[in-house]
Amino acid sequence: MSASATCPRTASPLILLFACAAGLSVANVYYAQPLLDALAADLGIGTARIGAVIAATQLGSVAALLWLVPLGDRLRRHRLLAVQNVALVMALLGVAVAGSATTLLLGMLAVGLLGTAMTQGLIAYAAAAASPHERGRVVGAAQAGVVIGLLLARVVAGAVADIGGWRAVYGLSAGLMVITGVLVWLRLPRLAVPAAVPRVSLPALLRTQPVLRRRGMLGLLMFIAFGLFWSTVALPLSAPPHALGHTAIGAFGLVGALAAARSGHWSDQGHAGRVSGAALLLLLVSWIPLAALPVHLGWLVLGVLLLDLAVQALHVTNQSLILAAAPQAQAQAIAAYMLFYAAGSGIGAVAGSALYAAHGWSAVCGAGAVVSGGALMLWARARRSP
């Protein structure tokens, strides 16, 4: 009889709560992206400076990964999440009533800080609450919630802003986070305070955690490829004959998100290596239909589905293995891994814009294929090593 058959399983409503709470938390970091024009017009921010809004949220996200998320290894997770949730609600209300560019940027910095801290804290919480034999399945479900929240944030923000203005987006989100905070406080299990784990520097953590090193590098290359695509795809689509908006493109990514929980289950069953290899091969292959975007929009649909499926499968598998390898420092390990994610996404976004401006869509796809092929070779080399 398998371990999964003899050990208790985490209740589905609890897994759903982890997924929904994580999705609503991460959405706060991305609401501003389709609202930049409205923010600039309302607060008198120049077009050249409005990008600072996104930069402020990303700076807050990095700060959360460096300082807030690792606190989950030393403090009672339940209370830590409650404090962060209250602070996030206050930050959202601050953004909703911002009257100047300075107050808006400070609010966005706080939203990025606390939204990211809650998101990654919930994933680490889910991993700690799950039994070892099902950790991948539970983390996969929580990560699927994150992806869905990220993708739907832009859609919801645009729709709400069309009805009630950009301030209504943050007012509504503050209300949703109040409800989320109450449910998290009442429903999440009270876990024991983690054993005292000293704060470990990132170099020391990488030195002592080979799984984190290998999976972090795979994550870095994977998110460079991911950033190359998503940071530039709107540029060729903005011209005829496609004229496809970001909302429609983002909806295709939901199919990839649905595979996240299943890939975590496969990791629990001991198939992490096969899932990783298949995901990396799929990532490389996805650039073939993506490169054919100028030929027909249908190729884009296929390429987006393959790309999102590959990225989510590998992302969840990476997290499952890293959390399993560092049971006494899960929050620190997941924070370190997400720094690879942040760096990869940033590199991909900057490189994608530069490549498209200089050489067009084919150069972006060529770079994506090279990076994806490098990740596949890195994984194959690690498989051959002891």
Side-chain angles (χ1 to χ4, degrees), residues 35-84:
L35 306 177
L36 294 181
D37 290 347
L39 291 169
D42 191 14
L43 298 178
I45 305 173
T47 303
R49 296 189 297 126
I50 193 61
V53 171
I54 304 301
T57 58
Q58 294 304 313
L59 181 61
S61 296
V62 172
L65 295 173
L66 289 172
W67 294 303
L68 288 189
V69 177
L71 293 177
D73 289 332
R74 291 179 286 168
L75 302 177
R76 193 177 294 275
R77 299 178 192 272
H78 197 262
R79 293 178 181 174
L80 179 62
L81 273 180
V83 172
Q84 290 173 346

Side-chain angles (χ1 to χ4, degrees), residues 49-342:
R49 296 189 297 126
I50 193 61
V53 171
I54 304 301
T57 58
Q58 294 304 313
L59 181 61
S61 296
V62 172
L65 295 173
L66 289 172
W67 294 303
L68 288 189
V69 177
L71 293 177
D73 289 332
R74 291 179 286 168
L75 302 177
R76 193 177 294 275
R77 299 178 192 272
H78 197 262
R79 293 178 181 174
L80 179 62
L81 273 180
V83 172
Q84 290 173 346
N85 186 85
V86 171
L88 177 58
V89 170
M90 295 175 64
L92 290 166
L93 291 175
V95 170
V97 299
S100 68
T102 300
T103 54
L104 176 68
L105 291 176
L106 289 175
M108 288 298 183
L109 179 68
V111 168
L113 178 77
L114 296 160
T116 300
M118 280 200 66
T119 302
Q120 300 307 321
L122 283 161
I123 291 177
Y125 202 142
S131 301
H133 72 278
E134 60 166 2
R135 183 171 291 125
R137 181 177 72 92
V138 176
V139 170
Q143 183 60 39
V146 170
V147 175
I148 293 172
L150 186 156
L151 293 171
L152 290 182
R154 302 173 181 89
V155 181
V156 172
V160 174
D162 285 342
I163 297 172
W166 70 267
R167 297 180 188 275
V169 175
Y170 291 94
L172 174 63
S173 182
L176 291 174
M177 292 312 300
V178 169
I179 298 172
T180 300
V182 172
L183 290 175
V184 164
W185 178 259
L186 294 177
R187 299 299 182 186
L188 290 192
R190 267 64 168 173
L191 303 180
V193 178
V197 178
R199 178 67 186 272
V200 182
S201 67
L202 180 59
L205 194 61
L206 291 172
R207 186 171 60 251
T208 58
Q209 292 288 334
V211 174
L212 176 60
R213 286 198 306 272
R214 292 193 296 267
R215 291 289 160 168
M217 285 305 302
L218 286 178
L220 176 72
L221 294 173
M222 172 182 67
F223 282 110
I224 289 176
F226 196 63
L228 281 167
F229 173 75
W230 283 109
S231 66
T232 55
V233 67
L235 300 176
L237 290 178
S238 63
H242 304 305
L244 191 63
H246 289 112
T247 299
I249 294 297
F252 295 122
L254 294 176
V255 176
L258 298 178
R262 192 63 190 174
S263 60
H265 173 75
W266 289 328
S267 179
D268 291 333
Q269 301 302 313
H271 303 308
R274 295 178 182 176
V275 172
S276 300
L280 287 167
L281 182 60
L282 203 61
L283 183 65
L284 178 60
V285 170
S286 70
W287 291 102
I288 299 174
L290 290 175
L293 165 62
V295 177
H296 193 278
L297 188 59
W299 290 114
L300 174 68
V301 175
L302 176 60
V304 168
L305 296 179
L306 295 179
L307 180 75
D308 279 357
L309 177 62
V311 168
Q312 293 311 315
L314 184 60
H315 188 40
V316 170
T317 302
N318 285 348
Q319 289 179 308
S320 299
L321 293 175
I322 289 169
L323 290 168
Q328 300 303 318
Q330 290 180 332
Q332 294 179 72
I334 204 66
Y337 171 71
M338 291 305 294
L339 286 172
F340 284 98
Y341 157 83

